[in-house]
């Protein structure tokens, strides 16, 4: 499939995306405030890069950064095969961990990451996602979710099609 930028329809423009992320940052701050002054935020590369950076800038706690690089998509669908390209080195033991992902679709990627993060015996682990697709019964509890969307193929704000369109400052979709 060949995608042209002009075929991409905007769902949430830059202002709407940032406004929603700032609301999530406030929710997250309020949630942890009574529990801890420090959280460990784990960004799932590459897709969550912009969501992560905008989010942590507005969380009013000490935020320690970690990054994992995972891939599971090829083109516009999940391959179901998860590849870990790089992993964290920091200890998560007894920490408050916040996993920050771009989109939850089938839920496979995030379940996989969670399973491994739990082996570090964190004190608590939560999930923040920029978007969730309603199409699948993914069975994942998303503690902080930006947007609930239909089963569209999304692009922009970190989301790609074969590595393209990540740097669009809005969330858009293409018709199937
Ligand atoms: P899941 O494992 O099926 O939940 O898929 C999640 C991963 O696939 C996410 O980390 C995304 O990077 C990618 N993904 C899922 N849906 C989309 C989409 O609509 N556009 C771009 N990437 C997507
Ligand atoms: Mg991803």
């Amino acid at each position: 499939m060949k995608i042209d930028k002009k075929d991409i329809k905007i769902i949430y423009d830059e202002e709407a995306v940032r406004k929603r992320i700032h609301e999530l940052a406030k929710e997250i701050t309020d949630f942890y405030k009574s529990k801890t002054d420090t959280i460990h935020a784990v960004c799932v590369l590459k897709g969550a890069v912009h969501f992560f950076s905008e989010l942590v800038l507005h969380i009013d706690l000490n935020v320690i950064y970690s990054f994992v690089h995972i891939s599971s998509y090829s083109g516009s669908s999940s391959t179901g095969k998860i590849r870990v390209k790089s992993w964290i080195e920091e200890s998560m033991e007894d920490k408050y961990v916040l996993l920050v992902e771009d989109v939850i679709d089938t839920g496979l990627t995030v379940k996989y990451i969670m399973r491994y993060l739990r082996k570090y015996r964190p004190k608590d682990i939560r999930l923040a996602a920029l978007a969730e697709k309603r199409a699948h019964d993914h069975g994942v509890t998303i503690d902080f979710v930006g947007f609930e969307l239909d089963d569209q193929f999304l692009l922009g704000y970190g989301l790609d099609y074969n590595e393209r369109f990540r740097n669009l400052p809005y969330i858009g979709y293409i018709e199937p």
Side-chain angles (χ1 to χ4, degrees):
M1 180 169 49
K2 171 132 177 44
I3 300 176
D4 199 275
K5 195 173 157 183
K6 66 176 185 333
D7 301 327
I8 300 173
K9 301 195 169 52
I10 298 177
I11 314 175
Y12 295 105
D13 65 14
E14 183 172 8
E15 197 189 329
V17 176
R18 291 170 71 155
K19 181 168 172 278
R20 183 69 191 122
I21 296 174
H22 300 166
E23 288 168 4
L24 283 184
K26 167 104 178 49
E27 264 181 54
I28 290 168
T29 305
D30 291 346
F31 174 80
Y32 286 109
K33 220 165 36 193
S34 60
K35 301 175 180 67
T36 181
D37 62 0
T38 304
I39 64 168
H40 287 243
V42 179
C43 173
V44 185
L45 295 172
K46 299 175 187 171
V49 61
H50 301 297
F51 174 44
F52 180 87
S53 66
E54 191 62 30
L55 185 72
V56 293
L57 285 176
H58 295 272
I59 295 176
D60 191 15
L61 299 161
N62 303 318
V63 182
I64 311 293
Y65 299 6
S66 291
F67 299 89
V68 295
H69 184 184
I70 309 283
S71 75
S72 62
Y73 249 58
S74 170
S76 63
S77 59
S78 178
T79 60
K81 279 203 194 107
I82 293 157
R83 289 204 293 152
V84 178
K85 297 189 163 177
S86 72
W87 193 248
I88 51 173
E89 291 181 346
E90 301 82 352
S91 163
M92 295 285 156
E93 192 171 343
D94 231 22
K95 311 290 191 214
Y96 284 86
V97 174
L98 178 66
L99 183 62
V100 182
E101 173 61 309
D102 51 9
V103 186
I104 312 299
D105 182 7
T106 63
L108 282 173
T109 308
V110 101
K111 279 184 194 160
Y112 179 94
I113 300 170
M114 284 277 195
R115 191 163 75 233
Y116 280 90
L117 287 179
R118 286 203 182 91
K119 292 187 198 285
Y120 290 77
R121 300 183 178 280
K123 189 174 185 72
D124 182 74
I125 181 159
R126 304 277 156 183
L127 172 63
L130 178 60
E132 170 186 16
K133 290 192 193 171
R134 283 182 288 235
H136 295 110
D137 182 15
H138 51 62
V140 177
T141 303
I142 311 174
D143 302 281
F144 309 99
V145 61
F147 301 103
E148 289 177 26
L149 297 168
D150 295 328
D151 191 18
Q152 295 149 321
F153 187 66
L154 307 169
L155 292 169
Y157 220 85
L159 298 163
D160 72 308
Y161 175 74
N162 289 342
E163 299 299 330
R164 289 178 66 207
F165 309 114
R166 289 195 198 276
N167 64 325
L168 300 177
Y170 47 80
I171 299 177
Y173 75 99
I174 42 159
E175 304 277 4

